């Protein structure tokens, strides 16, 4: 019996035309239970979210959380990313990038839901990455980060009350 679950994201917004694979989540619970619904001594088991190439990483995390009604903390991640939109300090000079895709060094963040009054998503994500020449960059993700290979994220999840 497999511990892998297919994530049903919205094909119209998440699926690139050339890629028909959907993000998947894996956990150590029974396949019929929602991720994060089981705990061991009050601590939720980690969930692995695999995001195929071509998907927006942040959108997939948010859709995963909404689909299962969860708060999500991204603990770490690995894989290749491209089209990264990160914030830099005021006055900072953006580094010259020699690559079109980057290796994730660190990926972390939190999704807590939507503000009922404004409809804005309450989340913050940070990524650090390196290009093919060894230049390290990163910061708070402003809007999107595209997976350039399968991106694997380790999540800590809890039920959204």
């Amino acid at each position: 019996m497999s511990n892998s679950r297919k994530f049903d994201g919205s094909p119209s917004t998440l699926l690139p035309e050339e890629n028909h694979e959907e993000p998947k989540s894996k956990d150590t619970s029974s396949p019929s239970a929602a991720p994060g619904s089981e705990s061991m001594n009050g601590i939720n088991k980690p969930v692995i979210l695999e995001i195929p190439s071509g998907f927006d990483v942040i959108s997939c995390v948010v859709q995963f959380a909404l689909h299962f009604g969860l708060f999500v903390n991204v603990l770490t991640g690995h894989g290749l990313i491209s089209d990264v939109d990160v914030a830099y300090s005021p006055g900072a000079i953006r580094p010259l990038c020699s690559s079109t895709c980057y290796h994730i060094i660190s990926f972390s963040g939190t999704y807590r839901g939507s503000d009922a009054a404004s409809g804005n998503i309450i989340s913050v994500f940070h990524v650090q990455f390196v290009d093919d020449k060894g230049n390290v960059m990163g910061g708070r993700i402003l809007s999107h980060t595209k997976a350039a290979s399968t991106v694997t994220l380790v999540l800590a999840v809890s039920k959204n009350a």
Side-chain angles (χ1 to χ4, degrees):
M1 190 181 279
S2 172
N3 286 332
S4 179
R5 241 185 243 114
K6 227 176 195 178
F7 170 69
D8 297 316
S10 169
S12 62
T13 58
L14 296 177
L15 213 62
E17 289 180 23
E18 70 279 356
N19 186 350
H20 296 289
E21 187 178 358
E22 294 180 353
K24 299 175 188 174
S25 69
K26 295 179 186 176
D27 66 18
T28 57
S29 62
S30 68
S32 61
S37 62
E38 304 77 25
S39 63
M40 185 169 49
N41 297 328
I43 300 171
N44 288 329
K45 296 177 185 178
V47 175
I48 306 298
L49 183 63
E50 295 176 337
I51 302 168
S53 179
F55 283 80
D56 176 59
V57 176
I58 304 305
S59 293
C60 288
V61 171
V62 170
Q63 290 299 316
F64 174 81
L66 291 171
H67 180 78
F68 289 107
L70 301 171
F71 291 141
V72 174
N73 291 305
V74 179
L75 305 175
T76 190
H78 79 0
L80 296 174
I81 55 176
S82 64
D83 194 21
V84 184
D85 184 20
V86 297
Y88 291 95
S89 300
I93 299 171
R94 290 181 180 244
L96 296 175
C97 299
S98 61
S99 301
T100 56
C101 66
Y102 311 96
H103 292 272
I104 295 172
I105 297 171
S106 173
F107 197 106
S108 62
T110 302
Y111 170 80
R112 289 288 178 232
S114 298
D115 182 321
S118 68
N120 292 332
I121 292 174
I122 303 168
S123 67
V124 63
F125 295 94
H126 294 87
V127 64
Q128 284 71 44
F129 50 94
V130 63
D131 68 11
D132 60 354
K133 295 200 186 216
N135 298 312
V136 177
M137 298 159 273
R140 182 175 50 85
I141 299 172
L142 294 175
S143 62
H144 60 271
T145 298
K146 185 177 177 181
S149 71
T150 298
V151 169
T152 304
L153 301 177
V154 179
L155 311 176
V157 298
S158 59
K159 280 292 189 188
N160 186 349

